[in-house]
Amino acid sequence: MSAGSKPSGAWGRLASLASRRASDHLRDLAAAERRFDAMSLRVGGLLLDFSRQRVTRDTITALTALAAERQLPQAVDALFRGDIVNVTEGRAALHTALRAPAAERPPAVADAIEVATARFLAIAEALRRGERRGSTGKPFRHVVHIGIGGSELGPRLATEALAPGGAGRFDIRFLANLDGRAAFSAFAGLDPAETLVVVVSKSFRTRETLLNAYHARSWFLERMGSADGIAQHFIAVTADAAEAQRSGLGVGERLPMWDWLGGRQSLWSAAGLPVALAIGAEGFRSLLAGAHAVDRHFQTARPDANGPILLALLGLWNANFLGAAAHAVLPYDERLATLPAHLQQLEMESNGKSVRTDGSACDAHTVPLVWGGEETNGQHAFHQWLLQSTRACSVDFVAVAAPGHDLAERHRWLLANCLAQGQALAGGRPAARLGEDPLAAHRAVPGNQPSTTILLDALTPQHLGSLLALYEHKTFCQGVLWGINPFDQWGVELGKALADTAFDALGGGARIGMDASAAGLVDALRRSGGSPHD
Ligand code: F6P
């Protein structure tokens, strides 16, 4: 809340609960009998363990009262109904319709989704069977997915997670960034006659994606000696087919995204083509089914037994009432290495705002910094900060029961480390327990860092779909609770506009609107006169 204003209603009750119970320690809370049973929840193939959150029944009651007060149930209905929930852009947000059975989709989009999903999955299957071939008649072996932000992270995460040992006949690569080296390495060693380029861009105006796509086109032309085959080798996935046409890339197939689909929720559309190439149409439909199972749960479960709602409420409790300015996502599974980056985009691009839907200023902090890293690497790097720094940080541990390989002992060690970190963060090690140890103050670990553990039975398409839908709904709920629109991202536009000016200035053009630092750096860069090969 803003300084001086007195919180009222459910928010006020939460504030007074937080101050009354400030001395509660997870060490004691977690010791309560049957706490694990009372505070864990199964959602499909996912177990959500909230027992290491710094809450009691009273806190959950007050948090669900906040959800009611902020009209979360009504907002959920509006989302699924296809109302204009993205008010600043005047759009619905219908990603859930992409994974719903045909009869449950809002009528306005039902047919378009049916046709589009069937089409891109049929293309994936034809490519997998080697029936759909390149311009010289060779079957495709390489796929380069070009896109950035939501047009890359979800598809990359799902491809890595579900096809960790390789994607069958395909070598699938992802190209997002601007550095020329990213483009060189994406195409290194590939035979253009066997390469399919999938350009994913909702707007088809994103600088990085267009530069990478033009690079791909030049690479293809140089090696193939003609543009004849381009149409067979380039597919676009976009909401703006006209812009894709205008780009002059010469793409053949254009698969749809829609204005009601956010980039960060686009995995469920043809943007997920690499995933379908890796795991097949049936696997992709399981991914959709897993997400849909969570959609149903989200719509129907009571708030105090509702996975996404609890994740959202507990995240808000940690961020707004327990002072956690950061939230770490720690997957204990290499296959989920991209999960922190995906959730960083999902949560921070959605809820990294300070203005409410009605244009007024937020009177409480919104999304914390979301960051993380995978498995025990982090324990030998940043976990020290989680364990002994002066800062509060909440954590999500994500682990998978079935390893998907036969190195059982290693997997047991991996899971053991995950469980141990949760316990160390919660319970810590009080100095008093270290007795006469002269280093007791240094060895003591304060604990009381809240965490949630999400355990997947196995990393199947179904369960991954559930996991990703869970976080999408968490993000939506938090937007509603903070009163902001999670479906726009106006902030990123400023950097794009300034980069246009800086680009011109670096080439000797005008410096209109540039600040003194940027102008000074332009001078320094121009004086350094680096050639492209330096
Ligand atoms: O950076 C903003 C953003 O618009 C993201 O929301 C989006 O996922 C990404 O850029 C890519 O946009 P597009 O799919 O239009 O190329």
Side-chain angles (χ1 to χ4, degrees), residues 147-151 200-206 209 257 262-264 345 349 489 492-493 496:
I148 197 163
S151 293
V200 181
S201 177
K202 180 177 171 181
S203 60
F204 230 82
R205 289 167 192 266
T206 303
T209 300
M257 284 169 86
R264 40 202 183 268
Q345 197 226 8
E349 198 170 74
Q489 58 282 319
V492 298
E493 298 306 321
K496 292 181 191 172

Side-chain angles (χ1 to χ4, degrees), residues 236-319:
V237 182
T238 184
D240 196 336
E243 196 58 39
Q245 178 69 29
R246 265 195 298 277
S247 71
L249 275 171
V251 289
E253 198 94 46
R254 285 189 295 268
L255 301 173
M257 284 169 86
W258 298 271
D259 65 353
W260 46 257
L261 181 62
R264 40 202 183 268
Q265 295 93 9
S266 63
L267 164 67
W268 321 104
S269 71
L273 182 61
V275 189
L277 289 173
I279 64 172
E282 206 182 316
F284 197 88
R285 288 201 186 273
S286 297
L287 182 81
L288 297 178
H292 178 65
V294 167
D295 295 343
R296 292 295 293 272
H297 163 85
F298 179 47
Q299 283 182 285
T300 55
R302 284 191 339 250
D304 64 353
N306 190 308
I309 293 181
L310 285 172
L311 268 185
L313 290 171
L314 292 166
L316 175 142
W317 170 248
N318 291 326

